[in-house]
Amino acid sequence: MTAGPTEAPRWVGLVLLPVVNLVAAFALAGLVALALNESPIQLMHVLFFGAFGTLESVGFTLYYTTSFIFAGLAVAVAFHCGLFNIGGEGQAYIGGLGVGLVCLAFDTLPFIVVLPLALLAAMGFGAAWAYVPGWLQAKRGSHVVITTIMFNFIAAALMTYLLVDVLIKPGQSSPETREFAQGVWLPLAHDWLTAIGIPMPRSPLNLSFVFALAAAALVWVFIWHTRWGYELRAVGLNEEAAVYAGISPSRQIIVAMAISGGLAGLVGINEILGVHHRLLLGFPAGYGFIGIAVALMGRNHPVGVCLAALLFGALFQGGSEISFEMRNLNREMVVVIEGLVILFCGALENLFRPRLEALFRRRRAAAAA
Amino acid sequence: MTIKRRTFLGAGIALPGLAAFGGRALAQQNNQPPAIQFDMGGKFDRSFNQAAYDGAERFQRESSIRYLEFEVTNPTQREQGLRNLARRNPSVVVGVGFANRSPLEVVSREFPQIKFTLIDDVLDAANVQSVVFREHEGSFLVGMIAAMASRTAKVGFIGGMDIPLIRKFARGYSEGAKHVNANIEVFENMTGTTPSAWNDPSRGGELARSQIARGADVIYAAAGGTGIGVYQACREAGKYAIGVDSNQNHLHPGTMLTSMIKRVDVAVYDAMTSARAGTWRNGTRVLGLRENGVGWALDEHNRSLITADMERRVNEARDAIIAGRITVTDVTAR
């Protein structure tokens, strides 16, 4: 697609603008560091090297990225149908429950049998947890934002009950299940890489990263290259027009929510089968909510979601290094930076856009003249 | 920064040799900084983590050795944080909270020459010291005080999350109250099902008001920062409250009947000091009434609320528990 003479080139909006927004966010974060008597240059240095400086830190960054991709895709799919799924957190929690139940029941079976079962359970449990709010929205008009938030709490209550009273390994005070047999753990990246001659220190990066990229590709195909995706987007863009075209909005709402929940449930694969190898309280740790920011930043496009997930993964990992290296800054600094990134890339989207676009329009007009 | 990292690596290679040497000469002093990992909730939760923070700060003041620290924000970071701390070759790594148990199991195997102290759960390993508290014993005593101070024969308990550790507090409290008055009613509420339950003062206040409406006139909170709201609500309604973990009597003198003290600060301080002095030992330390690891707080802020008779009966019960004449149920006993 070529831009008309009066339009700014496409790369301005897709590349330059996000970069400018990010730079502005980091500049402001630097000022906060300055106010706390720490060097902003060192802050950026610690953040960057903490996230990408060693193979180990890259492993951690990509591990966080994996969960954020799943959570971001979940929000993006629902958004294409005009739905705001705030329930990723609960759907991930319940997806993890599915994985845990499969592993506790079948971890004596070979990996190749358990893996598909665990994947199906993660998606199935997550989808089921999102199906109910979807159905309530489609058939009863209960707003999906409200119901998914409430379902997060129901999921947390259910998991607390199950882990404290039913699934807990006896004889410990920590509400966790027993560890799954080692045979069903997802292969870890450092094991493969070390096996083929690239020594990599231990990190939680595992096969789920590949699943996440595959899920992103599948979502792209589904949304833009299938009839189902077309119908889903049609409902999202204009429900009345969709009805006129013979599409049933209530059906699309339920389908979109179920797919969204299934994607969120896959967070459980990364966390439970990939890293913790046991069910434990609170493992989604807010990933479901960060997925909303990831989807917003990534403009609900799988490529954008992957890039935004990488950014947040890097902030998460680099941020945990800040408190080791800089005594005056603590973990809340990372929250400040995340907040600024979201603010500039989301809420203040139009701060730089009109000026940048006008600048390039003028140049283009000058070049054409 | 890169230079700094190289120094760390260099130290990492050179110092395990030294540490092994120190291991042979048992009482050799280790002036490496100790390390501590706070759990979710953070070191300023005014309760459990903050007690650990106080212990670490006391060590730092007395020894002038600056400790290393990390605050966990999600479950995966527990293992990452412990490993990061262990890599800096500290004299000891203290993991605060039972959730550190599984990550410590992995990391303590990777660093056999580093000492680890786990607080609130037990892990058997040659380089791990476990510190657990008999919270049910301390809760029993404050339960007795609650029952003796109550005029309505109805007392309340507000916990954070419904997990085994908090049930241990609740059970001890209720048994203590019933020890004084077999017909007393004990209301029990948990604040929530997510970790935010440990830091939700407004919800704590609501629960306290609802228990007060049902007739409770003494409320014990074992809910971290949520307790602040409970105490506030009790003060506004003119009822009594009981604090937890740290001595919270000073928060609202006249309202705070007493506090159930759990000496996490002492456990942390001891671990750091003994690691420095070379007297640190692995194995399990169980801190109950006998060891002064738990207890009830009596100071100038609540002196006027505790009658001589109450004090006598509670101290008798304390002696009886230590002597084994009263058994308090430990719901987490294995």
Side-chain angles (χ1 to χ4, degrees):
Chain A
M1 185 178 115
T2 50
T6 50
E7 275 178 48
R10 251 188 119 196
W11 62 269
V12 172
L14 287 180
V15 182
L16 186 63
L17 194 66
V19 170
V20 169
N21 283 328
L22 272 186
V23 169
F26 280 108
L28 209 57
L31 289 181
V32 176
L34 212 56
L36 293 166
N37 287 326
E38 290 278 6
S39 144
I41 306 289
Q42 200 200 347
L43 173 69
M44 297 308 142
H45 206 93
V46 170
L47 258 183
F48 187 79
F49 274 84
F52 300 109
T54 62
L55 266 183
E56 184 195 12
S57 51
V58 171
F60 269 96
T61 300
L62 292 182
Y63 147 72
Y64 288 122
T65 305
T66 307
S67 285
F68 293 153
I69 292 177
F70 286 133
L73 288 175
V75 177
V77 166
F79 208 82
H80 280 291
C81 193
L83 299 164
F84 208 10
N85 178 12
I86 317 270
E89 188 78 1
Q91 291 143 19
Y93 217 168
I94 296 298
L97 173 66
V99 177
L101 292 179
V102 162
C103 290
L104 288 172
F106 302 117
D107 64 351
T108 47
L109 298 178
F111 176 68
I112 203 75
V113 180
V114 176
L115 179 62
L117 283 178
L119 282 169
L120 279 178
M123 289 189 283
F125 274 61
W129 205 252
Y131 172 87
V132 182
W135 186 87
L136 287 171
Q137 167 80 65
K139 306 286 184 188
R140 293 283 178 270
S142 321
H143 204 288
V144 81
V145 168
I146 307 295
T147 47
T148 49
I149 290 177
M150 296 201 292
F151 264 65
N152 286 338
F153 287 99
I154 302 175
L158 178 68
M159 292 298 283
T160 306
Y161 162 71
L162 286 176
L163 282 170
V164 170
D165 285 320
V166 185
L167 297 170
I168 189 172
K169 177 185 165 195
Q172 61 181 27
S173 30
S174 190
E176 301 174 350
T177 65
R178 69 173 171 86
E179 197 168 59
F180 311 143
Q182 207 162 351
V184 302
W185 298 4
L186 277 185
L188 288 159
H190 60 88
D191 289 337
W192 306 344
L193 287 176
T194 310
I196 60 165
I198 306 170
M200 180 184 179
R202 212 186 142 84
S203 85
L205 179 63
N206 59 71
L207 187 62
S208 319
F209 183 61
V210 179
F211 296 157
L213 295 180
L218 287 175
V219 165
W220 179 75
V221 170
F222 172 79
I223 296 286
W224 281 282
H225 296 275
T226 66
R227 208 185 80 194
W228 305 305
Y230 173 78
E231 292 181 350
L232 197 142
R233 279 184 295 140
V235 172
L237 286 172
N238 188 333
E239 204 173 304
E240 278 166 42
V243 173
Y244 191 67
I247 300 168
S248 151
S250 59
R251 190 184 136 81
Q252 294 304 319
I253 287 170
I254 293 174
V255 168
M257 281 305 288
I259 293 176
S260 175
L263 286 163
L266 285 171
V267 170
I269 286 283
N270 185 33
E271 298 295 326
I272 298 301
L273 201 57
V275 181
H276 297 296
H277 311 129
R278 54 162 70 84
L279 263 184
L280 70 169
L281 276 187
F283 68 84
Y287 298 146
F289 296 119
I290 293 175
I292 299 167
V294 167
L296 282 177
M297 266 198 74
R299 309 278 166 83
N300 299 308
H301 190 285
V303 175
V305 165
C306 289
L307 291 174
L310 181 65
L311 172 69
F312 276 85
L315 280 177
F316 243 63
Q317 166 54 20
S320 70
E321 297 291 320
I322 290 179
S323 53
F324 280 113
E325 305 285 345
M326 304 170 83
R327 289 293 306 227
N328 290 340
L329 301 183
N330 60 12
R331 56 183 194 162
E332 272 74 27
M333 189 65 206
V334 186
V335 182
V336 170
I337 299 176
E338 272 172 21
L340 287 170
V341 167
I342 297 171
L343 187 69
F344 274 93
C345 297
L348 296 180
E349 172 74 38
N350 288 327
L351 186 65
F352 298 114
R353 180 187 282 275
R355 268 165 226 145
L356 268 178
E357 285 184 349
L359 180 74
F360 278 91
R361 269 202 300 274
R362 274 202 301 278
R363 284 181 119 197
R364 215 163 241 229
Chain B
M1 171 57 217
T2 3
I3 296 167
K4 206 169 165 191
R5 241 178 217 290
R6 279 202 201 106
T7 333
F8 271 126
L9 276 177
I13 295 160
L15 284 162
L18 278 180
F21 179 74
R24 276 196 296 278
L26 264 178
Q28 184 144 334
Q29 208 167 13
N30 181 349
N31 281 327
Q32 279 289 103
I36 183 165
Q37 172 157 297
F38 300 102
D39 211 50
M40 296 204 263
K43 60 183 172 185
F44 295 128
D45 66 354
R46 297 207 207 182
S47 186
F48 177 67
N49 283 294
Q50 191 152 0
Y53 167 78
D54 290 341
E57 284 287 309
R58 184 173 149 213
F59 171 84
Q60 182 166 296
R61 264 197 316 278
E62 291 179 9
S63 66
S64 310
I65 298 177
R66 195 157 193 193
Y67 61 90
L68 306 167
E69 63 176 311
F70 184 60
E71 287 177 277
V72 169
T73 47
N74 79 55
T76 310
Q77 284 184 347
R78 292 198 185 107
E79 190 178 316
Q80 186 187 7
L82 289 171
R83 189 175 290 121
N84 252 333
L85 293 169
R87 210 175 271 156
R88 284 152 209 240
N89 197 44
S91 59
V92 63
V93 179
V94 182
V96 181
F98 60 75
N100 283 297
R101 186 183 173 278
S102 311
L104 252 183
E105 208 173 342
V106 179
V107 177
S108 65
R109 272 199 301 264
E110 280 172 39
F111 295 89
Q113 80 284 8
I114 298 283
K115 303 179 177 77
F116 294 90
T117 293
L118 170 63
I119 294 188
D120 262 7
D121 208 347
V122 176
L123 177 63
D124 287 320
N127 56 336
V128 177
Q129 176 188 67
S130 312
V131 185
V132 287
F133 294 87
R134 299 176 66 80
E135 294 94 348
H136 49 292
E137 294 183 349
S139 299
F140 185 94
L141 298 187
V142 299
M144 285 180 66
I145 296 174
M148 288 187 278
S150 173
R151 292 196 191 88
T152 57
K154 293 187 176 95
V155 295
F157 174 85
I158 294 176
M161 269 169 86
D162 189 11
I163 55 172
L165 180 70
I166 295 304
R167 289 183 182 177
K168 200 170 165 185
F169 283 83
R171 185 64 168 281
Y173 176 70
S174 140
E175 285 186 0
K178 297 212 159 105
H179 181 73
V180 170
N181 174 0
N183 298 319
I184 200 163
E185 240 187 293
V186 183
F187 305 129
E188 199 180 302
N189 285 105
M190 297 291 173
T191 307
T193 52
T194 62
S196 66
W198 305 113
N199 203 0
D200 193 347
S202 55
R203 177 127 177 86
E206 277 168 38
L207 288 171
R209 277 188 286 277
S210 99
Q211 291 191 345
I212 290 167
R214 286 155 69 197
D217 58 355
V218 185
I219 299 177
Y220 174 36
T226 303
I228 305 299
V230 175
Y231 313 146
Q232 185 70 36
C234 287
R235 196 180 74 127
E236 282 160 12
K239 309 292 177 192
Y240 292 127
I242 297 176
V244 79
D245 288 352
S246 306
N247 182 353
Q248 298 180 316
N249 289 359
H250 64 277
L251 288 178
H252 299 290
T255 294
M256 302 304 294
L257 188 58
T258 181
S259 300
M260 201 294 277
I261 304 175
K262 174 173 167 183
R263 302 308 301 264
V264 180
D265 54 336
V266 175
V268 170
Y269 174 80
D270 281 355
M272 291 182 168
T273 312
S274 63
R276 183 181 180 218
T279 55
W280 182 97
R281 290 285 169 272
N282 71 340
T284 304
R285 292 180 70 197
V286 181
L287 303 180
L289 288 176
R290 184 200 307 274
E291 298 80 11
N292 279 323
V294 295
W296 64 288
L298 181 63
D299 59 16
E300 74 272 20
H301 300 294
N302 66 339
R303 180 69 269 182
S304 57
L305 305 178
I306 304 288
T307 63
D309 179 53
M310 284 161 87
E311 194 180 342
R312 183 184 52 76
R313 286 183 69 185
V314 172
N315 286 337
E316 275 172 17
R318 186 190 64 202
D319 295 341
I321 293 172
I322 292 174
R325 290 195 303 277
I326 296 179
T327 325
V328 188
T329 311
D330 176 3
V331 290
T332 61
R334 54 201 85 198

